[in-house]
Amino acid sequence: MSVPLYQLPEQQPSVWQPTSVEEAMQLKQQWGDNSVLISGGTWLRTRWENGLSPTPQHLISLGSIPALSGLTIDTVGHVHIGPACCLSDLMENELIRQRCGLLVQACSEIAAPSVRNLASIGGNVVTRTGDLIPVLLVMDAQVGWSDGQKERMLPLEEWLESKHFTSYEMMTKIVVRASEQDMGKSHAFYLKVGRREAFTPSVVTVAGSLRMDADGTIVAIALSAGGGSAIPARFTELEDAVTGKLLSKEVLQTLHKGVSEGFEAVADDYAGVDYRKITAANLIVSECYKAWRKGGGAYAPRS
């Protein structure tokens, strides 16, 4: 919903275009809570238009900082993604397509093409509820933050759980390990359930990867869920509980119970908590069953 003209502020925000992280943080410290760091601005704009957040006096654009739009791979195979990269750039980049196929799939299921041409991966993460977060959690993402002087790296999972994050830091990079599915070693999945097939807010979003031995023993597993207003999270205790076990009907039941009980879903006008919990559990267990059928054929349960 657009804001009527008579509700628009008399003075539009000033737009600043720093060319370095240091300069951006100097501006942020100068203008404080009257300013906001902005890349694509698609999420922020909806909040301003719907009256959920006041329009700031100063917009600090990150589009002129080259370091925030880079895509590289290091010597150990980790992919470094600039947070200002828009979703369509990630989808079209050959490095990302080869090394992070699951992330490309997730990007393709977010919003409309016109939004993906503006929306940034960093902006999706900073919302703390973005639909890319479950995939990034499964990929063991690390996130870089800088106050303009020092940079620190945090596991994405730790940052999501932190209640003491300061707005006087900015995201500088997202580092992920390459998807094992893309290297032919495991089954990986990303599924989004919405009110309609496309261009819709998520009700439930799940992601995961599963690697097994030839006999169906779980060697490694990573599972996550989010959607709507829920902060996505990994099911680390559940993962530890089933790793090393032979995938069986009992293990699938353990996974279903663990996800449905452990997913901290949030109700809204689209769906209730119980629906989201059961849907997340059904999606994840279904994919784990498919993985066993794919890798362990003769041993897969049929009921």
Side-chain angles (χ1 to χ4, degrees):
M1 179 178 69
S2 299
V3 177
L5 289 176
Y6 60 81
Q7 290 184 8
L8 289 173
E10 294 182 2
Q11 183 176 357
Q12 296 299 303
S14 300
V15 179
W16 303 83
Q17 294 184 307
T19 57
S20 68
V21 171
E22 293 76 13
E23 185 182 354
M25 292 313 301
Q26 288 173 1
L27 289 168
K28 179 61 180 175
Q29 290 160 8
Q30 177 181 349
W31 299 116
D33 293 340
N34 293 321
S35 65
V36 66
L37 299 166
I38 187 168
S39 184
T42 54
W43 180 76
L44 288 171
R45 180 177 175 181
T46 61
R47 294 184 64 82
W48 298 334
E49 291 180 345
N50 291 312
L52 299 176
S53 296
T55 305
Q57 297 177 14
H58 302 277
L59 300 180
I60 304 171
S61 172
L62 307 180
S64 298
I65 305 177
L68 300 183
S69 299
L71 289 166
T72 59
I73 185 168
D74 62 26
T75 55
V76 295
H78 290 164
V79 180
H80 294 238
I81 304 172
C85 290
C86 66
L87 305 189
S88 59
D89 285 343
L90 295 176
M91 293 169 61
E92 296 169 2
N93 184 273
E94 192 61 28
L95 170 64
I96 300 299
R97 292 174 66 87
Q98 290 181 0
R99 298 279 182 163
C100 308
L102 200 62
L103 181 59
V104 171
Q105 178 189 342
C107 288
S108 71
E109 298 187 29
I110 292 178
S114 58
V115 174
R116 294 197 292 266
N117 287 335
L118 288 174
S120 67
I121 183 173
N124 191 274
V125 171
V126 166
T127 67
R128 301 174 77 90
T129 59
D131 286 341
L132 294 183
I133 296 177
V135 170
L136 294 172
L137 286 171
V138 166
M139 298 176 76
D140 294 325
Q142 301 270 330
V143 184
W145 299 93
S146 175
D147 61 2
Q149 300 297 322
K150 297 179 181 179
E151 184 180 60
R152 59 176 180 146
M153 297 296 297
L154 285 175
L156 175 58
E157 187 174 12
E158 180 179 330
W159 175 76
L160 289 170
E161 295 173 352
S162 174
K163 298 180 180 178
H164 305 289
F165 180 75
T166 171
S167 61
Y168 290 88
E169 286 183 301
M170 65 180 294
M171 187 186 298
T172 54
K173 66 181 70 171
I174 298 172
V175 182
V176 298
R177 61 174 174 80
S179 169
E180 291 182 343
Q181 182 189 39
D182 300 320
M183 297 185 287
K185 295 181 179 179
S186 76
H187 176 74
F189 59 89
Y190 172 83
L191 296 168
K192 173 182 173 181
V193 175
R195 296 282 289 181
R196 58 180 186 270
E197 185 175 357
F199 310 158
T200 180
S202 62
V203 173
V204 173
T205 305
V206 300
S209 66
L210 176 65
R211 184 157 54 93
M212 296 177 294
D213 281 339
D215 66 352
T217 299
I218 299 171
V219 176
I221 185 170
L223 304 170
S224 65
S229 299
I231 297 177
R234 280 274 294 268
F235 298 97
T236 51
E237 292 184 4
L238 182 60
E239 295 165 6
D240 292 340
V242 300
T243 298
K245 292 186 176 181
L246 187 70
L247 191 55
S248 62
K249 182 177 180 179
E250 289 73 21
V251 169
L252 291 174
Q253 290 173 338
T254 297
L255 289 172
H256 193 281
K257 181 179 179 181
V259 172
S260 60
E261 292 181 353
F263 179 29
E264 296 185 4
V266 178
D268 58 21
D269 293 339
Y270 292 104
V273 169
D274 289 343
Y275 172 81
R276 294 172 192 265
K277 284 175 172 285
I278 294 300
T279 299
N282 288 347
L283 292 172
I284 287 175
V285 169
S286 175
E287 289 298 322
C288 290
Y289 175 80
K290 290 178 184 177
W292 197 9
R293 293 293 299 158
K294 177 182 178 182
Y299 301 99
R302 297 180 181 274
S303 63

